[in-house]
Amino acid sequence: MPDFSLTEEQSSLREMARKFARSEMLPHAAECDRTARFPEEIYRKAWELGLMNLNVPTEFGGSGLSALDICLIVEELAYGCAGMTTSIIANCLALEPILLGGTPEQQHRFLDPFCASYQLASFCLTEPAGGSDAGAITTRAIRHGSGYQITGEKCFITNAPHASLYTVFATVDPKLQHRGITAFVVPRSAAGVQPGKDEEKMGHRASSTSTVRFEEVEVPEADRLGAEGEGFALAMRTLDQTRTPIGALATGIAQAALDHAGSYALKRRTFGKPIAEHQAIQIKLADMATKVHASRLLTWAAAARIDRGEAATLDSSIAKTYASEAAFQVADDAIQIHGGYGYMKEYPVEKLLRDAKLTQIYEGSNEIQRIVIARELLKQYA
Ligand code: COS
């Protein structure tokens, strides 16, 4: 078991994120949720504090944080608002393929501007028909002149209407299946790039999600990441890194739900005493706290594995799956403890349930995570 005593630096990072979440995000969370407002002023402040390009090394001007540092920050941000957190950390996902697959020249060319000024990037993998089957994407990259022409449509793309750059996965030959998938960096300014309109979502309403259409978009060979056919593995390696922070994001939602439920249970009285004195409520609170604790530990264990440079496919998927399901259950119990009030929008817990739901779906649905977990597990018995 890794040693999880936090260094002084980690404790102050966590404190800084906590302060930002509670003073800048939380006060606007209900309003942004109600109106589906994309609070760009908050995202700009997050960028100014170094809370946006967390995984980008300092040599490019990023925060250069470890996976554990990132999880500490993401949990705190999600306590403030999960939707805002999704938009804040979307750059980590979108820029990770450049970190993993870009040449030093590409890394400087694409990453430096993100650290010099506030900008958003989007990770464009999912397609309307393919969904979870990432190997079946149909967006085409056809050789054209000295580069490629990209045509196709992506969906459920976080921050797409606001992004200045997209990492795009397209196939150079659909017959090759996943072995034809190739990664490219495409600027928003390229002719033929058309982000769609914001989707109306159940939760994470402070973040923005849309389709992106690529219509014969010219991309120079210099903007291809890695070789042709290396895109699928690059996408998978990216998700190995970014699923762990989703575990942290879910833990932040669960901790918020537990805190609301605990303090409500002490204040609310029925049958002549605070409901916290009824065993039925105590049992719920105990189970909720256990799930929050386990989520945090699983997430930190996966992060520690990444930080040791070890393969983290199994641990990331376990952490993401467990923590996202725990967050949903804990938010559900928090509503139950609030009774009828919990079902009302006036109280904050129903938002937490809606926000928790997405963590079971995005960055690979939990059904996909179970495929990954089972495959990794069975390798150990082969
Ligand atoms: N790291 C590196 N390489 C990996 C990998 C990983 N984590 N996972 C798979 N690969 C490689 C495999 O080794 C295999 O390589 P070869 O070409 O040498 O055989 C190749 O990728 C294909 O792998 P696999 O056979 O496992 O592919 P499948 O089509 O069966 O699909 C899943 C794999 C289901 C895991 C994949 O499609 C997936 O993750 N889907 C979900 C996508 C997702 O998360 N979407 C959300 C988008 S971001 S919001």
Side-chain angles (χ1 to χ4, degrees):
M1 187 69 187
D3 174 14
F4 286 134
S5 43
L6 302 183
T7 63
E8 224 171 89
E9 229 171 58
Q10 286 173 324
S11 300
S12 45
L13 264 180
R14 193 188 203 186
E15 198 43 48
M16 187 258 283
R18 178 169 298 181
K19 214 168 131 203
F20 180 77
R22 298 190 190 197
S23 63
E24 304 287 342
M25 296 166 72
L26 196 52
H28 303 282
E31 175 253 318
C32 289
D33 176 59
R34 197 172 57 250
T35 60
R37 183 171 75 83
F38 186 78
E40 190 136 23
E41 74 287 357
I42 296 176
Y43 304 148
R44 284 183 183 277
K45 279 186 200 161
W47 179 86
E48 281 162 22
L49 283 172
L51 292 171
M52 194 163 267
N53 301 310
L54 300 167
N55 54 343
V56 178
T58 48
E59 63 173 300
F60 308 112
S63 302
L65 297 175
S66 70
L68 181 55
D69 296 341
I70 293 174
C71 286
L72 295 173
I73 290 174
V74 171
E75 183 187 327
E76 293 304 329
L77 298 183
Y79 190 102
C81 178
M84 291 181 201
T85 306
T86 288
S87 272
I88 291 171
I89 64 171
N91 274 12
C92 296
L93 173 64
L95 301 179
E96 188 69 35
I98 302 175
L99 291 168
L100 292 173
T103 62
E105 181 277 324
Q106 288 176 320
Q107 291 174 340
H108 274 292
R109 185 155 52 89
F110 296 126
L111 300 174
D112 291 358
F114 273 80
C115 303
S117 68
Y118 165 83
Q119 289 187 52
L120 299 176
S122 296
F123 180 80
C124 301
L125 176 67
T126 307
E127 297 189 353
S132 290
D133 188 359
I137 60 177
T138 56
T139 294
R140 287 295 306 266
I142 297 171
R143 276 275 181 192
H144 189 253
S146 59
Y148 298 83
Q149 215 172 46
I150 297 186
T151 299
E153 186 167 55
K154 301 289 179 177
C155 65
F156 307 140
I157 306 303
T158 302
N159 289 350
H162 306 270
S164 60
L165 180 139
Y166 303 99
T167 39
V168 182
F169 295 83
T171 177
V172 292
D173 183 353
K175 285 198 294 298
L176 295 175
Q177 297 175 324
H178 71 269
R179 292 199 177 90
I181 296 173
T182 307
F184 299 91
V185 179
V186 180
R188 165 74 180 89
S189 55
V193 178
Q194 302 153 13
K197 65 173 183 34
D198 255 330
E199 303 284 1
E200 187 68 46
K201 301 192 296 296
M202 170 184 177
H204 291 241
R205 290 169 55 80
S207 89
S208 166
T209 310
S210 80
T211 55
V212 189
R213 172 104 204 130
F214 299 91
E215 199 61 58
E216 296 184 348
V217 178
E218 303 280 347
V219 180
E221 190 169 328
D223 294 356
R224 189 187 70 212
L225 297 172
E228 285 187 3
E230 285 181 4
F232 187 80
L234 193 54
M236 295 298 114
R237 286 167 57 216
T238 295
L239 293 165
D240 282 349
Q241 304 289 315
T242 58
R243 282 175 180 155
T244 304
I246 300 303
L249 190 149
T251 307
I253 298 173
Q255 182 69 61
L258 174 61
D259 289 356
H260 284 301
S263 51
Y264 183 80
L266 285 172
K267 274 188 251 131
R268 170 85 170 130
R269 295 176 69 87
T270 61
F271 301 99
K273 54 188 177 185
I275 61 170
E277 287 179 27
H278 300 308
Q279 267 193 2
I281 301 297
Q282 290 180 358
I283 289 167
K284 272 201 200 322
L285 288 171
D287 286 348
M288 291 160 78
T290 305
K291 285 172 189 160
V292 172
H293 195 62
S295 299
R296 186 173 295 121
L297 285 178
L298 282 172
T299 302
W300 287 14
R305 193 176 278 284
I306 293 173
D307 289 336
R308 290 196 301 273
E310 295 170 11
T313 306
L314 177 68
D315 295 61
S316 304
S317 286
I318 287 178
K320 191 265 186 196
T321 304
Y322 182 87
S324 59
E325 288 174 9
F328 191 80
Q329 292 156 5
V330 172
D332 188 25
D333 280 343
I335 294 175
Q336 195 68 19
I337 288 173
H338 282 71
Y341 294 109
Y343 200 66
M344 301 298 142
K345 285 193 179 283
E346 192 191 336
Y347 283 78
V349 282
E350 60 82 33
K351 170 182 185 290
L352 298 175
L353 186 82
R354 288 185 284 109
D355 286 346
K357 186 64 211 170
L358 186 60
T359 64
Q360 296 176 320
I361 298 172
Y362 70 176
E363 298 226 10
S365 70
N366 285 2
E367 289 71 23
I368 289 292
Q369 304 309 320
R370 285 181 168 87
I371 293 175
V372 174
I373 293 166
R375 284 182 185 176
E376 291 297 312
L377 187 72
L378 290 169
K379 280 183 197 165
Q380 297 171 11
Y381 299 109

